Amino acid sequence: MGPELEDAALRVMRSGRVLLGPELCAFEDAWAAAVGAHSAVGVGNGLDALSLGLRALGVGPGDEVLVPSHTFIATWLAVVHVGAVPVPVDVRTANADWDPEALAAAVTSRTRAVVPVHLYGHPVDLAPVLQVARAHDLVVLDDAAQAHGARLGDRPVGGLTHATAWSFYPGKNLGALGDGGAVTTPDPTTAERLRSLRNYGSTEKYRHDEVGYNSRLDEVQAALLSVKLRRLDEHNARRAAAARRYDEGLAGLDQLVLPERSAGTSPVWHLYVVRTPHRARLREHLAARGVETLVHYPVPPHRQRAFADTPMAGLHLPMADRLATEVLSLPMGPTLGPDDQDVVIDAVRSFRA
Ligand SMILES: *Cc1c(COP(=O)(O)O)cnc(C)c1O
């Protein structure tokens, strides 16, 4: 995509318009259409997409927000940044989905919102989440930072809840060449609120109706993202093919749990995450054969020092603790070729615990 990306960046630089201009509008329209939302609002990064999304939906100080126990810490940070309290619900699988009964049981009179996370690119079944939300008058903001293009049935993630937060961090399935993010929503009023919040709480220059932020997706990043969006489906299809190849090549191994696939969903394989009780030794074995692996994530949010002085530190979240010791991300991406994959598969198969 080099030449197309260079053209896009130069076009913006020569235009002289670098913020809140036509490139942002064009990308927002394209992204809203791609995910089946009424509107997309570009913001500075995924963390801001989450916190501005919560603010736009009326979440604030004193509110409790249900979050998965197993996720990237940004999901929890956003809740804290709007003055609310993250209330983790222990997950059922590494894909960060919940048992609907556990979710309902965590609701209190102070609960205001739920933030499901489509972790590793696996869409969370939103129907039971929305049902709990309706029963208790909660808003739902889904964290889709790892799920660009994922589908539930034939409906893309992005227009199925009150609002959806996206990150365009370079390593995501749709990544900018720097930081970027967006919120998509089916609701025009929420979109207007977000446009104000991202721009100092202002819709008219030097009139400020609320205490806003400065969090904008700039024109260069928007232009680059428009180029990359045209290849998203193709890149996701390549990831899906690689996931199938791993599933076949790694089937039937003792003490290696392959990623779960939920019926009726189309995951986008941001990561291919296996589980094993012998993680440290498997990692070493793979590294010695030239295979780099990563761990998403080695320390669950409730064990982070950032939350050491909060009630979250004392929580009993056995699945989150267990996943932190067992998950292992194998190489995955649109440029991973079959030969590379065979090296990984052979290396995993030759491991003896
Ligand atoms: C990347 C990520 C974020 C944060 O996005 P940034 O753009 O890095 O701020 C939030 N949630 C999840 C699940 C992520 O993977």
Side-chain angles (χ1 to χ4, degrees):
M1 282 182 274
E4 286 169 87
L5 292 170
E6 286 172 15
D7 285 351
L10 275 175
R11 181 177 72 237
V12 175
M13 290 163 70
R14 289 179 176 141
S15 78
R17 179 102 196 231
V18 292
L19 281 170
L20 299 179
E23 300 287 348
L24 178 61
C25 287
F27 175 69
E28 287 178 337
D29 288 350
W31 187 235
V35 304
H38 176 276
S39 301
V41 179
V43 298
N45 55 64
L47 175 58
D48 285 357
L50 287 162
S51 44
L52 272 66
L54 288 169
R55 276 280 303 270
L57 296 175
V59 179
D63 293 335
E64 291 180 357
V65 178
L66 304 181
V67 294
S69 60
H70 175 67
T71 179
F72 181 54
I73 194 169
T75 315
W76 292 36
L77 293 179
V79 175
V80 176
H81 284 314
V82 302
V85 180
V87 175
V89 178
D90 212 10
V91 298
R92 184 162 55 180
T93 73
N95 297 343
D97 57 336
W98 289 302
D99 173 354
E101 279 173 26
L103 186 67
V107 175
T108 73
S109 59
R110 286 183 302 279
T111 310
R112 181 81 191 90
V114 190
V115 185
V117 181
H118 309 292
L119 201 66
Y120 307 152
H122 290 270
V124 170
D125 185 3
L126 291 171
V129 177
L130 288 165
Q131 204 176 345
V132 170
R134 265 192 302 273
H136 300 277
D137 201 18
L138 314 177
V139 291
V140 180
L141 169 84
D142 47 340
D143 179 341
Q146 302 189 1
H148 312 76
R151 289 172 173 266
L152 275 163
D154 57 1
R155 303 185 67 194
V157 164
L160 307 176
T161 60
H162 296 97
T164 304
W166 304 92
S167 163
F168 304 120
Y169 174 81
K172 310 292 191 188
N173 289 41
L174 179 61
L177 275 79
D179 278 313
V183 184
T184 54
T185 175
D187 177 36
T189 313
T190 303
E192 275 322 298
R193 185 84 201 284
L194 284 160
R195 285 183 214 286
S196 161
L197 282 171
R198 74 171 169 192
N199 194 33
Y200 310 109
S202 166
T203 45
E204 192 189 331
K205 206 161 186 174
Y206 304 128
R207 308 266 164 215
H208 303 273
D209 302 323
E210 61 185 324
V211 178
Y213 304 72
N214 172 8
S215 183
R216 302 174 298 215
L217 181 65
D218 70 64
E219 289 287 285
V220 173
Q221 298 304 339
L224 298 172
L225 285 164
S226 291
V227 171
K228 294 186 87 180
L229 176 54
R230 290 184 223 129
R231 303 279 292 276
L232 177 64
D233 288 346
E234 178 199 328
H235 285 180
N236 281 341
R238 287 202 224 164
R239 288 174 184 269
R244 275 194 300 277
R245 197 180 172 88
Y246 274 143
D247 281 358
E248 285 161 19
L250 299 174
L253 289 177
D254 238 18
Q255 304 199 300
L256 189 82
V257 180
L258 300 184
E260 308 221 5
R261 295 167 177 262
S262 306
T265 68
S266 311
V268 290
W269 302 101
H270 175 60
L271 297 168
Y272 187 91
V273 178
V274 298
R275 289 174 56 189
T276 170
H278 309 292
R279 183 175 71 196
R281 277 185 293 138
L282 177 57
R283 279 196 93 179
E284 256 174 57
H285 177 86
L286 294 176
R289 283 153 187 80
V291 177
E292 186 190 24
T293 56
L294 297 171
V295 172
H296 301 90
Y297 299 91
V299 180
H302 72 288
R303 304 247 177 235
Q304 296 288 351
R305 274 187 44 205
F307 298 127
D309 300 327
T310 74
M312 286 169 272
L315 291 171
H316 179 63
L317 299 165
M319 234 355 232
D321 282 332
R322 178 159 178 204
L323 289 166
T325 66
E326 293 189 352
V327 291
L328 184 67
S329 305
L330 300 183
M332 169 53 80
T335 59
L336 181 74
D339 296 346
D340 297 323
Q341 262 197 296
D342 288 343
V343 172
V344 182
I345 291 167
D346 290 346
V348 175
R349 293 203 78 94
S350 67
F351 175 68
R352 295 288 169 270

